Amino acid sequence: MSGILLGGIYALMSIGLNLIFGVVKVVNFAHGEFLMIGMYIAYWAFALYGLDPYVSLPLVALSILALGALTQGLIINPLLKTKDINQVLATIGLMIFLENLALFLWKSDFRSVLTAYSAASISMGEIRLSLSRIFAFAVAMSTAIVLYFLLTKTDVGRRIRAVAQDAEAAELMGIDHRRIYIATFGLGGALVGVAAAAMSPIYYAFPTVGALFGPTAFIVVVLGGLGSFIGAMIGGLIIGIVESIAGVLTNAELAKAFAFAIFLLVLFRKPTGLFGERARV
Amino acid sequence: MSKKRKFGRGWATFLGIIVALALVPLLRPPPYVTHVLVLTLLFAYLGTAWNLIGGYGGQLSLGHGAFFGLGAYTSTLLFMNYGLSPWIGMAIAAGVGAGSAALIGYPCFRFGLRGPFFALATLAFGLIVVELLTAFREVTGGSLGIFPPYLGNAPHLFQFASKEAYYLIILALWAFIILLVRGMRRTRYYLVAIREDEEAAAALGVPVRKYKLLAAVISGALSGIGGTFYAQYFSYLNPESAAGLALSVEILTVAIFGGMYGLMGPTLGSAILTPISELLRIWLGGTYLGVHLMFYGLLLILVIIFMPRGVLGKLEEALKRGLEF
């Protein structure tokens, strides 16, 4: 059961990465660092102004939206016409930069948001579930629903989907794909921001927290299928459950190594992921 | 004929540089300068090793830290547990580096992983190595790391009291790798063809998979040798600093900044970046951690956008323009 809740959080954390890959066709290696910055914003909003992470959630989402849009506008767009290796290298540079910027600004201390409900839990029969994890799971589900309507029912959403399917054809229809890319990267960032706010009552914020969760997000996305939403949700659940079980059976490092090994196997055998071909953005 | 003369001049320059660098210890530089020179040559060496698969081959590896770290741990553990001289350990480290590169390279090339997917796979491989080195703490000392015993001056055990000896060894390794990569002419041409267009190269009869694997394995072996040197020089290893992602990124930043499309690019990159990052580390490192990596990250982004061919590429452009006058 706690594996399912963990999976919901992992799914929420990965949707943004998936959206960006599905539309812009860029693997954002700095994804985990976006999450880390978001968690710090949630932390400071709490530490300085006493804002509950669920109150500061829009602020966090907007900040990471801006970060994402800037990344696309300043870094990825100038590289669109070059080899995809260059875009990968640039986001790796961004990853290292952000991680060490955080280390520079805030040292390697662990900081946590302690809300009234951080330690609270509810019992269902034999099982005890942490309240903040249930909240986070609820946020994950509602975010997925909001995103679905955003993409299918709004104009921007339709444009994003058009560009995702065929950027050139969309261009001929009068859609500027560079601007749509900026919007998409921003939206992907906003989704990470939501995840960061929802995770901040549960996890510590520290400079390398992105390096901890980033690879997990890649695993979830690759497992579920790049560019597929349902896949990301299911991939999140699978990894959440696997990690919970492996964590009980063995030590933390081996559990991590095990998860990465699964990731490699999926990458080798089925780079499109479990749901890659069927589902679309 | 004019081509031949140019060729001869290149050799003379190279030999001149080697001799000049080999004479540096006679000037009795302060230990710190020697240290920076050792690091500069080490990263020039590692960058050149990375460049074989990453630059010429265009396969973006994030796993070189792991090949390096496995080499470092191999010779060190063999020495500490079985008393095996690290000189022999270095040869085994090369084998381990080659083997680990084959372990991740073979399935990647077999299943056609390219671009970001190859980068992701090597990233995951590197993370697995760090987790495993941490997990088996009875053997590796876990995240606290290991300290090989210090024996004073023991040349047969790859230990020296003076930094100058290490300097001369890394200088020799650097000269070796430059000559080796330079000599692999056919491999380099094939790799460049693969980088530019894999399908076209395959259609023209380039054994794509074989040459990618060859480059990865040689690159891994050379990185493993570098790992042994590092372990002997620093006498301290921990999983994150000897095998982590940050190390991989440092290596590739040096290569890309200098120019990944030329033989001397990584060396040029290291000659510029390593002293700067060492200075940053001294000035700010005590109070601010990670400052030199922040600089590397930013630099990587800027180089990719503004001079994807690196400093070497810019120099060549400038020279060409100069000739047009």
Side-chain angles (χ1 to χ4, degrees):
Chain A
M1 193 61 199
S2 67
I4 293 176
L5 290 184
L6 185 64
I9 295 170
Y10 282 172
L12 176 62
M13 179 175 88
S14 317
I15 295 176
L17 181 67
N18 208 341
L19 178 75
I20 293 167
F21 184 82
V23 180
V24 193
K25 314 280 187 287
V26 167
V27 178
N28 178 21
F29 278 78
H31 187 79
E33 283 58 39
F34 281 23
L35 181 81
M36 177 267 296
I37 300 283
M39 288 174 77
Y40 268 107
I41 296 173
Y43 167 79
W44 288 114
F46 178 80
L48 299 177
Y49 305 106
L51 291 180
D52 186 282
Y54 284 96
V55 179
S56 61
L57 188 142
L59 172 77
V60 178
L62 280 176
S63 317
I64 310 299
L65 186 149
L67 181 61
L70 282 174
T71 303
Q72 179 67 36
L74 295 178
I75 301 176
I76 309 294
N77 270 351
L79 294 173
L80 278 181
K81 293 260 183 288
T82 64
K83 293 199 179 86
D84 54 0
I85 284 289
N86 287 353
Q87 297 146 22
V88 171
L89 278 170
T91 62
I92 290 172
L94 186 64
M95 162 181 90
I96 294 289
F97 174 72
L98 289 177
E99 181 180 322
N100 290 287
L101 179 71
L103 198 60
F104 175 75
L105 291 177
W106 304 308
K107 306 284 185 298
S108 50
D109 305 342
F110 285 54
R111 301 167 196 267
S112 72
V113 176
L114 273 181
T115 56
Y117 51 85
S118 275
S121 58
I122 54 165
S123 305
M124 287 189 348
E126 303 265 304
I127 319 165
R128 279 165 53 88
L129 294 172
S130 137
L131 208 55
S132 45
R133 280 169 193 267
I134 294 178
F135 284 171
F137 188 79
V139 169
M141 293 307 133
S142 31
T143 307
I145 294 167
V146 170
L147 183 68
Y148 177 77
F149 280 105
L150 198 70
L151 286 177
T152 50
K153 304 288 177 215
T154 68
D155 193 42
V156 177
R158 287 198 197 98
R159 284 174 192 216
I160 288 179
R161 280 163 51 228
V163 171
Q165 279 179 8
D166 191 335
E168 276 175 37
E171 193 79 52
L172 293 174
M173 299 294 154
I175 301 174
D176 180 356
H177 69 274
R178 284 170 183 259
R179 284 173 61 190
I180 290 299
Y181 284 168
I182 293 178
T184 308
F185 219 113
L187 183 59
L191 291 167
V192 190
V194 171
M199 287 166 75
S200 61
I202 309 172
Y203 298 102
Y204 289 103
F206 52 98
T208 49
V209 73
L212 186 68
F213 286 113
T216 310
F218 292 128
I219 298 178
V220 167
V221 168
V222 169
L223 192 62
L226 285 158
S228 152
F229 279 140
I230 308 146
M233 298 306 280
I234 296 172
L237 293 180
I238 294 176
I239 290 296
I241 293 167
V242 167
E243 265 192 21
S244 300
I245 294 170
V248 173
L249 294 179
T250 167
N251 70 31
E253 290 96 13
L254 282 180
K256 275 275 168 208
F258 186 64
F260 291 135
I262 293 182
F263 171 65
L264 277 178
L265 286 179
V266 174
L267 209 53
F268 293 147
R269 292 309 310 179
K270 214 170 174 329
T272 46
L274 300 174
F275 300 87
E277 279 123 314
R278 247 186 303 149
R280 271 220 125 112
V281 178
Chain B
M1 204 189 119
S2 65
K3 208 168 196 182
K4 210 165 189 185
R5 218 178 58 206
K6 211 168 153 194
F7 194 74
R9 201 186 293 157
W11 271 104
T13 319
F14 183 67
L15 277 178
I17 291 173
I18 298 281
V19 171
L21 284 174
L23 293 177
V24 165
L26 295 179
L27 299 174
R28 307 230 159 269
Y32 193 73
V33 173
T34 311
H35 176 68
V36 171
L37 286 174
V38 168
L39 286 182
T40 303
L41 283 168
L42 176 64
F43 275 96
Y45 171 88
L46 293 172
T48 308
W50 180 88
N51 209 36
L52 195 57
I53 181 74
Y56 290 116
Q59 311 296 314
L60 186 70
S61 162
L62 294 172
H64 271 65
F67 311 147
F68 176 87
L70 285 172
Y73 271 92
T74 300
S75 58
T76 304
L77 291 175
L78 286 173
F79 173 57
M80 287 176 70
N81 297 327
Y82 304 103
L84 186 74
S85 164
W87 286 111
I88 302 168
M90 185 151 86
I92 301 173
V96 171
S100 54
L103 188 67
I104 183 66
Y106 179 76
C108 279
F109 303 141
R110 164 75 182 73
F111 296 114
L113 259 53
R114 295 185 207 168
F117 296 99
F118 181 74
L120 274 176
T122 49
L123 172 75
F125 182 77
L127 293 169
I128 291 177
V129 168
V130 171
E131 296 297 343
L132 290 181
L133 286 175
T134 315
F136 293 104
R137 35 183 69 79
E138 294 81 14
V139 186
T140 63
S143 51
L144 295 177
I146 39 174
F147 298 86
Y150 178 68
L151 306 168
N153 211 20
H156 65 292
L157 294 175
F158 206 143
Q159 285 207 10
F160 303 93
S162 74
K163 280 196 191 316
E164 279 77 14
Y166 288 105
Y167 169 76
L168 291 175
I169 291 171
I170 192 67
L171 177 63
L173 283 174
W174 172 76
F176 165 70
I177 201 171
I178 294 291
L179 290 177
L180 179 78
V181 175
R182 189 177 178 287
M184 297 168 61
R185 191 156 303 161
R186 180 209 294 264
T187 309
R188 273 189 291 143
Y189 287 147
Y190 279 0
L191 287 171
V192 170
I194 293 169
R195 177 187 77 208
E196 293 304 325
D197 190 336
E198 201 169 313
E199 278 78 23
L204 289 171
V206 175
V208 169
R209 225 192 271 163
K210 186 179 143 197
Y211 273 88
K212 275 192 193 169
L213 191 62
L214 183 71
V217 164
I218 295 176
S219 184
L222 293 167
S223 303
I225 293 175
T228 297
F229 176 84
Y230 173 94
Q232 295 309 115
Y233 181 65
F234 281 100
S235 293
Y236 172 66
L237 290 176
N238 78 51
E240 202 50 60
S241 67
L245 178 65
L247 182 69
S248 301
V249 173
E250 274 182 75
I251 295 172
L252 67 87
T253 307
V254 160
I256 290 165
F257 176 75
M260 60 175 150
Y261 300 139
L263 176 61
M264 296 308 274
T267 300
L268 189 62
S270 180
I272 300 170
L273 288 186
T274 309
I276 296 178
S277 86
E278 276 309 298
L279 286 178
L280 282 176
R281 224 195 292 243
I282 300 178
W283 285 340
L284 301 164
T287 31
Y288 298 107
L289 297 156
V291 120
H292 78 285
L293 286 171
M294 201 168 98
F295 164 69
Y296 271 35
L298 194 62
L299 196 70
L300 193 54
I301 301 173
L302 295 176
V303 169
I304 294 292
I305 297 178
F306 296 108
M307 45 178 209
R309 299 181 64 85
V311 176
L312 197 64
K314 279 276 170 214
L315 281 179
E316 278 169 5
E317 260 173 54
L319 274 179
K320 243 181 231 160
R321 227 175 288 145
L323 291 177
E324 276 163 14
F325 264 116

